[in-house]
Amino acid sequence: MKIIVTKCDFRTLGADVLALPFSSVELEKSLSASGVDLQLLADFKGDAGEIVVLYGVHKGFSASRIILLGVGDGNKIDDWRKAAVAFASKSVELKCQQIAIDLSRIGDFALTTGQSVTSLAAAFVEGAFTGSYRFDRLKSGKLEKKGRDEKSLDITELVLVAHLDTVDEIDRGVIDGEIVGSCKKMARDLVNLPGNYLNAEDIGKAAEESGKRAGFHVEVFHKKEIESLGMGGLLAVNKGSDQPPTFTVLDYTPKGVVRAVVVLVGKGVTFDSGGISLKPSENMGEMKSDMSGAASVLGAVEAAARLALPLRVIGLIPATDNMPSGTAQQPGDVITTYSGITVEVGNTDAEGRLILADALTYGKEKYNPDVLVDVATLTGACIVALGYSVAALFSNNDKLAEELFQAGEQSGEKVWRMPLWDLYSEQIKSDIADVSNTGSRGAGSVTAAKFLEKFIDGHGNWAHLDIAGPSFAPKGSGKVNGGTGFGVGLLVGLLKKLSS
Ligand code: BES
Ligand code: MN
Ligand code: ZN
């Protein structure tokens, strides 16, 4: 999708579809100013993402179709993203390839939202990526690249019509929006690839490709190196597998000043069967998405590099699948993690925390970062608590928690803070090892976070994001099914805050 910013009169623009944005406030006035039939007011309210398609020739307009696009009450930046998602999604549905939107009034919208024109334009472009996303590469005929481009009905061109005095700001927003949008797309592709297309080695390869594309260093540790490092958590989870684990290090160091060093850890379980503590078979296939944390870390590091943020950003991705077999770890086993802390494995399905434990300790020890964040599809309990749209946030630092909350509001990837009180540690005590990987019933997301906290070696600026709910849209959720890329926008938002 090529994005073009132009200053022409939007009425004369030839496109398959032209969107006219309207806020729900003063709708009547702005609709009549645009020359649209006011009878429409009965149906169109201007709510965020609301769409009315107008067919037939419209006086003075050159586009084949016109879309009235609601952008909400003009107070929330996320409403712009929602509008863009709806517009792009509708355009794909209508097989429109050249699409355009009139942004000549974006300056007014910027005033009411209290956001810059640049941010609004970025949110819009990012939303257009989200809304036009489809995962069809495993459909027959698409598997081979031949003929792919001729047949493709993807949106080829998004034209943003700007007013003279906002062109520069929109241009800047387009760059940001394209970066976040395309990194989110990469994350979604990785999540959607099933286990037989994406294993631990493939995650390493995806990181290497990303590093080449965006200009940052990548190193992949293979099984031998993981063994000599003594990453006992990652190795224990990998024991049941026929495929070796990897531990990928992405390292973006800016050319100039480094305002902070940030370590991002992402859970990379390419398929989670539960291991010997086998999961029920219903919807088990969705556990191909258990590497969503890894995908969002990959996306965020690439975005940081492409945005040339003044931060050193290190991504750490422990990756393996979690399989049952004669060689698999058994419930009751005691393992020694990279930190030296021993863990009684009460349940082999609580595998994420075992591989994250190694990565967190390694990240703290090797880089002593200013900020340490991990992202993981860690617990089903998190979905019970917060549902499919919101991630749980745990942090031992109020300022970091607030920054992540704000980044969530801005990026539309919402987080809600949960407690880390010590009373929850009671539940993960072990009689025979230092700690157990499973708690008793109740507060499953909190006990998982308390477990991770033991492996950060007293780091004072750590956050854990449990994205089990929002990382994957199940069938019938009303959204495009599958990986959502949740985490990329949120982490980029945090990184931008840490840059200023
Ligand atoms: N990957 C799962 C968590 C999950 C569940 C993510 C549903 C997305 C959707 C994780 O490894 C897991 O199995 N957690 C267990 C922990 C339990 C055994 C303590 C869970 O949540 O049931
Ligand atoms: Mn599991
Ligand atoms: Zn898992």
Side-chain angles (χ1 to χ4, degrees):
M1 182 167 62
K2 202 168 144 201
I3 297 162
I4 299 162
V5 182
T6 162
K7 285 169 287 196
C8 74
D9 179 354
F10 63 86
R11 289 175 197 81
T12 64
L13 194 85
D16 294 332
V17 59
L18 168 71
L20 308 177
F22 292 99
S23 100
S24 55
V25 185
E26 295 196 45
L27 184 61
E28 189 169 343
K29 214 170 98 191
S30 43
L31 270 178
S32 53
S34 72
V36 169
D37 187 348
L38 283 182
Q39 265 189 325
L40 277 166
L41 275 174
D43 297 337
F44 182 65
K45 300 279 178 280
D47 293 340
E50 195 185 346
I51 278 181
V52 172
V53 189
L54 306 180
Y55 292 94
V57 184
H58 288 266
K59 235 171 110 191
F61 285 94
S62 306
S64 330
R65 300 170 190 78
I66 288 174
I67 275 183
L68 305 185
L69 181 62
V71 296
D73 61 8
N75 287 319
K76 293 182 272 315
I77 186 168
D78 200 38
D79 283 350
W80 271 83
R81 206 176 274 107
K82 267 189 210 153
V85 171
F87 173 45
S89 178
K90 191 72 184 177
S91 299
V92 172
E93 202 181 294
L94 299 175
K95 300 189 172 57
C96 293
Q97 297 194 282
Q98 271 184 304
I99 71 171
I101 179 161
D102 163 35
L103 291 183
S104 57
R105 290 183 301 131
I106 196 170
D108 303 339
F109 292 118
L111 284 180
T112 56
T113 48
Q115 299 277 344
S116 64
V117 166
T118 302
S119 304
L120 287 189
F124 193 86
V125 169
E126 187 204 315
F129 272 89
T130 302
S132 61
Y133 179 84
R134 300 290 181 274
F135 185 75
D136 54 9
R137 70 161 82 160
L138 301 182
K139 301 273 190 192
S140 60
K142 292 255 180 183
L143 278 168
E144 302 203 358
K145 278 204 172 135
K146 267 187 291 170
R148 185 171 173 171
D149 293 342
E150 303 120 63
K151 276 193 210 151
S152 162
L153 286 171
D154 295 348
I155 295 170
T156 52
E157 212 174 272
L158 167 63
V159 181
L160 309 177
V161 186
H163 200 270
L164 198 59
D165 41 295
T166 50
V167 171
D168 292 346
E169 281 180 276
I170 293 181
D171 271 338
R172 261 180 294 174
V174 167
I175 295 172
D176 276 26
E178 246 181 323
I179 291 175
V180 176
S182 57
C183 289
K184 227 168 146 161
K185 176 186 180 309
M186 169 183 70
R188 295 174 82 174
D189 281 344
L190 292 172
V191 173
N192 286 328
L193 283 172
N196 64 331
Y197 278 87
L198 187 95
N199 61 23
E201 295 283 351
D202 296 321
I203 288 197
K205 282 183 204 139
E208 281 167 346
E209 278 164 29
S210 168
K212 268 191 212 126
R213 202 164 43 229
F216 59 85
H217 188 256
V218 176
E219 193 173 357
V220 181
F221 297 148
H222 297 276
K223 192 170 178 183
K224 278 220 168 73
E225 291 141 306
I226 295 167
E227 278 168 349
S228 35
L229 282 165
M231 293 191 162
L234 179 54
L235 289 166
V237 175
N238 183 252
K239 262 180 89 183
S241 177
D242 283 338
Q243 313 189 60
T246 56
F247 186 87
T248 300
V249 181
L250 302 86
D251 186 346
Y252 159 64
T253 306
K255 296 245 153 53
V257 273
V258 177
R259 295 249 160 79
V261 178
V262 184
V263 166
L264 304 175
V265 175
K267 171 177 173 182
V269 173
T270 54
F271 177 68
D272 181 12
S273 72
I276 295 296
S277 314
L278 197 63
K279 286 184 182 298
S281 54
E282 200 188 349
N283 298 328
M284 203 206 267
E286 287 179 7
M287 278 300 116
K288 69 175 181 181
S289 68
D290 212 15
M291 34 55 69
S292 296
S296 45
V297 166
L298 247 133
V301 178
E302 176 168 328
R306 285 168 61 187
L307 290 165
L309 296 182
L311 305 168
R312 182 172 180 201
V313 186
I314 317 275
L316 300 178
I317 299 174
T320 176
D321 51 3
N322 183 26
M323 295 294 280
S325 80
T327 59
Q329 64 172 340
Q330 296 156 0
D333 282 0
V334 174
I335 62 165
T336 303
T337 56
Y338 177 73
S339 60
I341 297 172
T342 60
V343 179
E344 180 180 3
V345 182
N347 189 320
T348 63
D349 197 12
E351 84 297 340
R353 62 197 77 182
L354 301 178
I355 70 171
L356 291 172
D358 287 348
L360 283 167
T361 313
Y362 182 84
K364 158 82 190 337
E365 177 194 275
K366 175 101 196 243
Y367 302 100
N368 193 26
D370 299 297
V371 184
L372 177 61
V373 181
D374 73 78
V375 194
T377 46
L378 206 61
T379 63
C382 187
I383 306 177
V384 176
L386 296 172
Y388 284 98
S389 305
V390 177
L393 157 69
F394 298 85
S395 182
N396 56 5
N397 188 296
D398 292 343
K399 184 162 171 274
L400 178 60
E402 180 59 24
E403 281 170 337
L404 276 163
F405 178 77
Q406 292 303 339
E409 292 296 298
Q410 283 225 320
S411 64
E413 298 174 8
K414 283 175 171 292
V415 301
W416 190 252
R417 193 171 181 188
M418 308 252 267
L420 276 171
W421 292 311
D422 272 336
L423 61 98
Y424 289 103
S425 294
E426 281 301 313
Q427 285 173 243
I428 49 169
K429 280 193 171 150
S430 163
D431 290 334
I432 60 167
D434 297 336
V435 62
S436 165
N437 81 333
T438 28
S440 47
R441 270 189 87 78
S445 314
V446 189
T447 51
K450 287 305 282 182
F451 180 91
L452 296 179
E453 191 188 31
K454 299 201 181 293
F455 296 88
I456 59 172
D457 188 26
H459 194 286
N461 204 10
W462 161 70
H464 158 57
L465 296 162
D466 193 335
I467 60 167
S471 60
F472 194 86
K475 275 201 181 107
S477 64
K479 302 176 188 161
V480 171
N481 303 334
T484 61
F486 187 102
V488 176
L490 177 67
L491 291 175
V492 172
L494 173 70
L495 295 175
K496 280 191 176 168
K497 285 183 200 302
L498 297 172
S499 301
S500 55

